[in-house]
């Protein structure tokens, strides 16, 4: 009898340890979890990702394909409890950085994940370097855990295909009115130069085009940072010569424009000075004319007296006076 009680007590202890204490779990601060019951994730009724703003980035055709159920997300904290027939899937939602040339299926591809090849519209095989930042979308954990087998593979493939399509069809934005008036604008149009000058707009385009990745694969791209676009080695020297000539001509034009602007400013200043001098000479004559008109209006005697006073003042200041002898 004692042996049976011991076996029963041992079974109870094993059961409590195996299924109760081992059923406790916690979720770290940078993690989220989804629990399945007999292999089926806990869902939020009949809600799908179409009921969430995350699907607004999808076009109508994609909205019919990428429909995932919304699941109950277990937040950070605990301890939580699960039964033996339940399973907990934990994922980190922290932002991660990845080389954009990295191939998850073949790490040796793209020069060991260091350089991504892309062809420009003028048939130059360029090498792209940069990084992407991504994180698991908490609003579409079903797609990340159960909908797509290897989400990062799909995201990287989608990103690279969009990037290569953009590089192959990239056209620089039209120059400003000031640049259009510059004769050196005709030197522009080389794809490598256009891409290098518009890296920020290229990154912004990639962020817009990849905004639907969270609804597609459960991974949100926070940002893409393309840092380098390098042409083939045999083309680099030719591009360097072209850019050097372009910079030299641009410098000469800038110096000529600065000199012309300086001369224009000096000419305007000279005109202003001469205008002021002329006004200074005219003003006393105008004042004298007004004064004589006022004297004449008061009578002929006033004008005669004014002339006599002026003559007396001149005689006073003169050192010698010659008078005509009237005979």
């Amino acid at each position: 009898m004692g042996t049976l009680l011991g076996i029963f007590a041992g079974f109870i202890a094993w059961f409590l340890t195996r299924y109760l204490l081992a059923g406790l779990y916690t979720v770290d601060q940078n993690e989220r979890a989804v629990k399945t019951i007999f292999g089926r994730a806990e869902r939020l009724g009949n809600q799908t990702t179409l009921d969430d703003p995350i699907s607004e980035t999808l076009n109508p055709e994609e909205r019919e394909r990428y429909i995932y159920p919304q699941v109950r997300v277990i937040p950070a904290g605990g301890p939580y409890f699960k039964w033996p027939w339940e399973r907990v899937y934990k994922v980190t939602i922290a932002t991660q950085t990845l080389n954009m040339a990295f191939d998850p299926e073949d790490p040796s591809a793209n020069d060991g994940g260091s350089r991504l090849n892309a062809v420009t519209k003028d048939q130059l095989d360029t090498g792209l370097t940069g990084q992407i930042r991504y994180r698991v979308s908490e609003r579409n954990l079903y797609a990340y855990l159960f909908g797509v087998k290897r989400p990062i593979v799909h995201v990287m493939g989608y990103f690279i295909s969009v990037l290569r399509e953009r590089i192959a069809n990239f056209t620089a934005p039209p120059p400003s009115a000031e640049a259009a008036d510059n004769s050196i604008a005709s030197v522009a149009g080389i794809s490598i130069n256009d891409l290098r000058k518009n890296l920020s707009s290229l990154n912004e385009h990639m962020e817009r085009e990849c905004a639907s990745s969270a609804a597609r694969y459960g991974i949100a791209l926070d940002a893409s940072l393309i840092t380098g676009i390098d042409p083939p080695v045999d083309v680099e020297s030719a591009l360097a010569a072209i850019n050097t000539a372009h910079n030299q001509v641009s410098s000469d034009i800038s110096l000529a424009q600065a000199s012309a602007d300086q001369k224009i400013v000096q000419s305007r200043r000279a005109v202003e000075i001469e205008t002021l001098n002329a006004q200074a000479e005219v003003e006393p004559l105008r004042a004298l004319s007004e004064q004589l008109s006022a004297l004449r209006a008061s009578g002929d005697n006033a004008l005669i007296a004014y002339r006599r006073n002026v003559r007396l003042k001149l005689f006073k200041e003169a050192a010698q006076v010659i008078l005509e002898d009237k005979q």
Side-chain angles (χ1 to χ4, degrees):
M1 189 66 178
T3 304
L4 292 176
L5 290 176
I7 293 174
F8 181 74
F11 174 78
I12 295 298
W14 172 84
F15 181 84
L16 293 176
T17 303
R18 176 68 176 81
Y19 293 107
L20 294 183
L21 294 180
L24 298 176
Y25 66 93
T26 59
V27 180
D28 292 340
Q29 186 66 33
N30 289 331
E31 289 182 338
R32 298 295 182 269
V34 173
K35 185 166 61 176
T36 61
I37 303 174
F38 293 111
R40 188 177 188 272
E42 289 186 292
R43 308 189 181 192
L44 300 178
N46 296 323
Q47 298 183 32
T48 66
T49 50
L50 295 181
D51 302 317
D52 192 281
I54 195 175
S55 295
E56 294 179 355
T57 56
L58 299 174
N59 58 46
E61 187 271 335
E62 292 173 336
R63 290 172 65 89
E64 297 179 358
R65 294 189 322 176
Y66 298 102
I67 303 177
Y68 301 105
Q70 292 190 10
V71 297
R72 186 175 73 88
V73 178
I74 302 174
Y80 300 105
F81 177 78
K82 69 177 182 67
W83 292 105
W85 53 84
E86 297 177 338
R87 182 178 178 183
V88 176
Y89 294 83
K90 299 180 183 180
V91 295
T92 177
I93 59 171
T95 300
Q96 303 180 57
T97 302
L98 189 65
N99 193 313
M100 59 183 255
F102 173 71
D103 188 340
E105 295 184 312
D106 185 7
S108 63
N110 301 326
D111 294 337
S114 61
R115 183 177 183 270
L116 179 66
N117 293 333
V119 180
T120 64
K121 64 180 181 180
D122 48 9
Q123 305 303 313
L124 288 180
D125 185 12
T126 62
L128 307 176
T129 56
Q131 296 177 334
I132 60 173
R133 294 200 305 267
Y134 71 94
R135 57 182 174 79
V136 176
S137 175
E138 184 178 348
R139 295 159 61 183
N140 196 10
L141 286 181
Y142 187 94
Y144 181 80
L145 291 172
F146 313 110
V148 182
K149 186 175 182 180
R150 298 188 65 187
I152 190 62
V153 174
H154 289 268
V155 170
M156 291 300 297
Y158 178 69
F159 176 85
I160 291 173
S161 64
V162 173
L163 177 59
R164 283 175 171 164
E165 187 275 336
R166 181 61 173 173
I167 295 294
N169 299 282
F170 182 82
T171 301
S176 61
E178 180 180 355
D181 294 337
N182 193 341
S183 60
I184 199 61
S186 60
V187 179
I190 301 174
S191 60
I192 294 293
N193 290 337
D194 292 341
L195 288 167
R196 285 173 170 173
K197 293 176 182 178
N198 295 276
L199 277 180
S200 59
S201 64
L202 182 60
N203 286 319
E204 292 172 0
H205 173 82
M206 294 305 301
E207 292 180 22
R208 290 193 303 268
E209 291 295 321
C210 296
S212 62
S213 64
R216 288 168 173 260
Y217 315 115
I219 293 181
L221 291 180
D222 282 349
S224 63
L225 183 61
I226 303 172
T227 56
I229 301 179
D230 302 319
V233 177
D234 55 348
V235 180
E236 181 67 35
S237 58
L239 284 175
I242 293 174
N243 292 332
T244 300
H246 177 277
N247 294 334
Q248 182 62 42
V249 175
S250 298
S251 176
D252 294 341
I253 291 177
S254 298
L255 291 175
Q257 289 178 342
S259 178
D261 292 340
Q262 184 179 8
K263 291 181 180 179
I264 291 174
V265 172
Q266 292 176 349
S267 299
R268 289 176 179 174
R269 183 59 180 168
V271 171
E272 292 177 359
I273 293 174
E274 293 300 327
T275 301
L276 293 175
N277 290 336
Q279 291 177 352
E281 294 179 359
V282 170
E283 286 301 322
L285 297 177
R286 288 180 177 177
L288 179 60
S289 176
E290 293 175 358
Q291 185 179 12
L292 293 176
S293 297
L295 291 174
R296 184 175 182 180
S298 62
D300 295 337
N301 293 332
L303 187 59
I304 294 173
Y306 174 79
R307 291 176 58 190
R308 183 178 64 252
N309 292 335
V310 171
R311 291 180 65 187
L312 290 175
K313 183 178 179 181
L314 292 175
F315 287 153
K316 182 178 179 181
E317 295 179 356
Q320 184 177 4
V321 177
I322 301 175
L323 297 177
E324 181 180 359
D325 186 11
K326 296 181 179 180
Q327 292 181 350

